[in-house]
């Protein structure tokens, strides 16, 4: 049976590492952003499905900011964890750091928030366990996820209202 509540650490991914080679680069010689986005979607999906124990789909991505480039010879380190769950949806926060393969110098290159929706056997949204934040950082992310959800809803309503006028 599906538990009513789950901790963040039960689904977290701490250091998925990807080595950048020449075929990962764009025409600027830096890593192709789509490669990072696709990898993140897969990682966040794994977390959503670990948490919900069912099939999940990507519903939206918020605040995807590319902060710095990474290039050939760097390693990309992906970290992701569930921030909060509501009825059927879950927010997964992701962070990517580049690490120079030899010097080990680290640079934060991207952060974003993915929302996944869990689907039941009927392919309709289905209930997911609540997230129990434990550390101070998990509690901060839990609170901020609610702000982002409210912001998403408010923007949607404002856009609908502006189209009706
Ligand atoms: C995501 C999807 C399942 C939502 O279905 P829906 O019938 O609109 O669902 P509802 O309106 O009942 O909302 C269900 C939940 O999804 C959330 N949701 C729906 N659209 C959302 C969006 N764009 N962003 C964030 N959350 C969203 C709702 O807030 C709600 O959350 P809650 O249950 O935790 O309160 C549906 O829009 C879908 O199938 N989208 C395509 C997903 C897909 O194919 N992804 C892969 C991309 S290639």
């Amino acid at each position: 049976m599906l538990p009513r509540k789950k901790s963040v650490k039960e689904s977290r991914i701490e250091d998925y590492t990807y080595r950048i080679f020449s075929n990962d680069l764009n025409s600027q010689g830096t890593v192709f952003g789509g490669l990072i986005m696709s990898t993140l979607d897969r990682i966040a999906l794994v977390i959503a499905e670990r948490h919900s124990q069912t099939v999940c789909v990507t519903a939206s991505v918020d605040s995807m900011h590319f902060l710095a480039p990474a290039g050939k010879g760097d390693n990309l380190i992906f970290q992701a964890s569930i921030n909060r769950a509501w009825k059927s949806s879950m927010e997964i926060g992701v962070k990517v750091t580049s690490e120079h393969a030899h010097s080990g110098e680290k640079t934060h290159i991207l952060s974003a928030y993915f929302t996944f929706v869990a689907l039941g056997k009927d392919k309709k949204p289905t209930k997911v366990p609540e997230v129990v934040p434990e550390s101070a950082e998990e509690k901060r992310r839990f609170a901020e996820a609610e702000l982002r959800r409210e912001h998403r809803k408010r923007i949607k309503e404002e856009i609908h209202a502006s189209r009706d006028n």
Side-chain angles (χ1 to χ4, degrees), residues 57-60 86-89 115 117 119 125 149 152:
V57 288
T58 317
S60 65
W86 293 273
K87 251 166 66 191
S88 66
S89 64
T115 301
V117 176
L119 302 180
R149 176 173 158 102
R152 255 194 319 273

Side-chain angles (χ1 to χ4, degrees), residues 19-88:
R19 176 56 177 263
I20 302 169
F21 287 124
S22 309
N23 61 338
D24 297 321
L25 305 181
N26 58 28
S27 50
Q28 306 294 319
T30 58
V31 70
F32 172 52
L35 168 85
I36 296 180
M37 290 160 74
S38 157
T39 308
L40 283 172
D41 197 23
R42 287 168 194 259
I43 288 174
L45 171 66
V46 170
I47 292 175
E49 293 195 343
R50 276 183 186 164
H51 184 81
S52 64
Q53 299 174 220
T54 187
V55 169
C56 295
V57 288
T58 317
S60 65
V61 183
D62 286 300
S63 316
M64 182 168 285
H65 296 290
F66 286 86
L67 306 169
K72 191 175 151 190
D74 286 338
N75 299 320
L76 295 177
I77 300 165
F78 294 79
Q79 295 168 298
S81 57
I82 188 162
N83 290 338
R84 191 164 183 146
W86 293 273
K87 251 166 66 191
S88 66

